[in-house]
Amino acid sequence: MSRIEARFKTLSAANRAALIPYIMTGDPSPDETVAVMHGLVAGGADMIELGMPFSDPVADGSIIQAAGERALAAGQRLKHSLAAVRAFRETDQDTPVIFMGYLNPVEIMGTEAFVQSAAEAGVDGLLLVDSPPEESAELAPAVREAGMDMIFLVAPTTSEVRRRRIAELGSGFVYYVSLKGVTGAGGLDVDAVAESLAGLRQHTQLPLGVGFGIRDADSAAAVGRVADAVIVGSALVEHLHAAAGQGEEPARAARQFIEPLREALDGARSGGNAKDVALS
Amino acid sequence: MSAKAKNLSELPPNGYRQLPDARGHFGIFGGSFVSETLMGPVEELRQAYESARQDPAFQREIARELGHFVGRPTPLYPADRLSEWAGGARIWLKREDLCHTGAHKVNNTVGQAILARRMGKPRVIAETGAGQHGVASATVAARLGLECVVYMGAEDMRRQEANVFRMRLLGAKVVPVESGSRTLKDALNEAMRDWVANVDDTFYIIGTVAGPHPYPMMVRDFQSVIGEEAREQMQADAGVLPDAVVACVGGGSNAIGIFHPFLDDDQVALHGVEAAGDGVETGRHAAPLSAGRPGVLHGNRTYLMTDEDGLIIHTHSISAGLDYPGVGPEHAWLKDVGRAEYGHVTDREALDAFHRLSRTEGIMPALESAHAVAHAIKLARRLGKGKHVLVNLSGRGDKDMHTVAAEEGVSL
């Protein structure tokens, strides 16, 4: 059982939704990434998504794009992101870590070399936003063979046929993009998300995570009532950047950002509002 | 060699013009590497284009627009004073510079804008580098009454003020892009973000033979009119097919447009010319086929300018239209199977050819096209008398007055 699968099993048994923060590796500073990861766990994160900075992040909005540019300017590269996970694993063997980014750095490192290094470093899942299932026929099996999960996105524009195919090919969890747009966009419609998730559950036993558009405790709680995992990215990245600008310690800022979300998320489930959701 | 042999064995039995496959692959190149939100719209576009290309009414409308609006067919011109000066093969110019808006770009925007209207999309978006594709998009949008938004790098907007003004005069909204290197690739990134957010009412007019399937195929189809005309004109005027066809390659739309109808004519050599900038050996260039390697960017797998960490490298060329780190996937495939050869020409050589053509023929080429002319001169000398070299003169040089003046210390 992969670390991601195990974590979801534990959470499901406790009727809790997973809280998955996303940070850009190397921002606000390459030296702080590992400390920020530990801070997120201390604040209540169940898994961590690590953004791999890329020069041309077409699926990201301005906040994550800017964070990526800062990270690259500070020298952060794929090999350093792998090293960060290795360092994190020295004291945390339980929290799943998911790499999120773009295909080109992986291809240039060499798919085989990357998969091997990632597995050895302690990466648990891979999500490449510009590598849809149709183009992942070689990568996905290689990732799974190495004991990691290949996570795919489902969007509001994804057809029924493809939703089924994605559910079959992916593992770990299905990442539902809650709105049309790039990361950090507004306009989250929780009812529409709930309806889509209900449809998705007919195709898959995998846990369903929801990302894009979750900014604070309220939106996390709303989504946490209907999803198995809540992913928060741009709002956290922005918070860490602003905190660093004011000289705050990044790990502490990370923890303080996560704590209220954790509380709201757990409150939403225990408040009895989970009845309209089939949490299989 | 082994990589080449492997790809050769994948050659379709019916020649070079059968690709891409159903998923948009040219060998290992091409494909649809886009975020999940765009997979639906890309598939919708593929189906719409598939049905349109088989619809005689759609083809007739394009033919009518190309005739009455663009001004096709464009002439085939024997550049005899240039040929004489070069002292070798006879050089022929396919005069795409005489298209409405001054370059071949409009052949494609006419096709895509008609398709947008057919799909019921009232809003079109485009990316632009030098502004030629942006102007061609704004022009056709005005002609068809579509809303038009053009993304342009802030740096390019500064360098191409006149084209920005032209687009605005045509009713388009020009949005400056401040991210990354603030040039063409960043404009492309931003246009894709717009498309993701507005897929319901928006059609993305990509300006070159790159992007996710079906763009490389669709843009090639729209641009193939160049080669179809030229192939007939060469036979009519020269009495033979050319020995070589030469075109500049940035994304590669004018090159694939003139190459494609000749792909199965084995006796016709095909030469693509990349921008060597300060020289390929300096690293300051835009020649992914000459000095790059396969990777994935902007929706397709192709040759790219990428560093050892997989980041896209900043490119350099005097010609904004060639200043792009990738290249259309069909060119990548044609290179690997050996059907086309790709060379490169420096800024300096292109400038020399710009002057030479202006003074020998009274034709001022775009700096992009000047790369092709420079290469054709070398090739004409190598081939010698009695041979024929066909050059795609893809655009006119009016837009480059400021660049050339600045290069020579003249202030306008």
Side-chain angles (χ1 to χ4, degrees), chain B residues 246-249 273-277 317-319 322 344-351 353-354 365-377 391:
Chain B
V246 184
C248 64
V249 178
V273 187
E274 295 192 299
S317 169
I318 191 171
S319 143
L322 303 182
H344 44 82
V345 155
T346 62
D347 288 353
R348 189 65 252 166
E349 292 171 305
L351 274 168
F354 173 92
L367 283 172
E368 290 79 7
S369 321
H371 286 71
V373 173
H375 196 76
I377 290 169
V391 181

Side-chain angles (χ1 to χ4, degrees), chain A residues 55-56, chain B residues 180-181 183-189 298 312-314 324-325:
Chain A
S55 50
D56 293 77
Chain B
S181 55
T183 59
L184 175 59
K185 77 176 176 67
D186 309 289
L188 221 149
N189 294 343
H298 293 151
I312 305 306
I313 301 170
H314 287 202
Y324 179 66

Side-chain angles (χ1 to χ4, degrees), chain B residues 160-227:
Chain B
Q160 301 285 343
E161 246 175 301
N163 267 343
V164 173
F165 189 55
R166 273 171 92 191
M167 287 183 266
R168 285 177 175 154
L169 288 175
L170 290 159
K173 185 177 159 201
V174 183
V175 181
V177 177
E178 300 282 0
S179 57
S181 55
R182 301 198 295 276
T183 59
L184 175 59
K185 77 176 176 67
D186 309 289
L188 221 149
N189 294 343
E190 209 55 41
M192 286 183 103
R193 291 188 184 103
D194 179 311
W195 198 28
V196 169
N198 300 293
V199 288
D200 292 333
D201 72 342
T202 297
F203 187 105
Y204 180 15
I205 302 184
I206 292 186
T208 191
V209 283
H213 181 59
Y215 282 102
M217 172 182 80
M218 177 170 71
V219 177
R220 173 199 73 197
D221 292 350
F222 291 143
Q223 292 293 2
S224 288
V225 66
I226 304 171

Side-chain angles (χ1 to χ4, degrees), chain A residues 57 60 104 107 135 157 162, chain B residues 32 36-37 193 296 301 310 312:
Chain A
D60 285 303
N104 197 56
E107 285 215 347
E135 302 288 0
T157 50
R162 295 194 64 259
Chain B
S32 290
E36 184 55 36
T37 310
R193 291 188 184 103
V296 172
R301 180 177 283 120
I312 305 306

Side-chain angles (χ1 to χ4, degrees), chain A residues 27-54:
Chain A
D27 183 67
S29 152
D31 301 335
E32 299 286 349
T33 297
V34 177
V36 168
M37 291 170 76
H38 288 306
L40 292 169
V41 174
D46 297 301
M47 307 180 202
I48 295 171
E49 259 187 35
L50 282 184
M52 301 180 279
F54 181 51

Side-chain angles (χ1 to χ4, degrees), chain A residues 9 22 24 29 38 46 64 76-77 114 131 133 139 142 150 161 167 194 200 203 207 210 213 217 222 227 233 253 276:
Chain A
K9 282 234 153 66
Y22 166 103
M24 177 59 74
S29 152
H38 288 306
D46 297 301
I64 289 180
Q76 186 77 28
R77 301 291 182 268
F114 170 78
S131 191
L139 182 59
M150 188 81 194
V161 178
L200 265 175
H203 301 311
V210 173
D276 52 344

Side-chain angles (χ1 to χ4, degrees), chain B residues 40-55 58-59 111-112 114-121 203 214 217-218 222:
Chain B
V42 159
E43 173 60 16
E44 181 196 358
L45 174 63
R46 191 193 62 76
Q47 288 176 11
Y49 177 59
E50 208 49 57
S51 103
R53 83 197 289 208
Q54 286 161 26
D55 179 356
F58 177 74
Q59 297 299 348
Q112 290 198 47
I114 292 173
L115 184 59
R117 199 183 52 188
R118 187 182 157 104
M119 290 173 73
K121 311 274 187 190
F203 187 105
M217 172 182 80
M218 177 170 71
F222 291 143

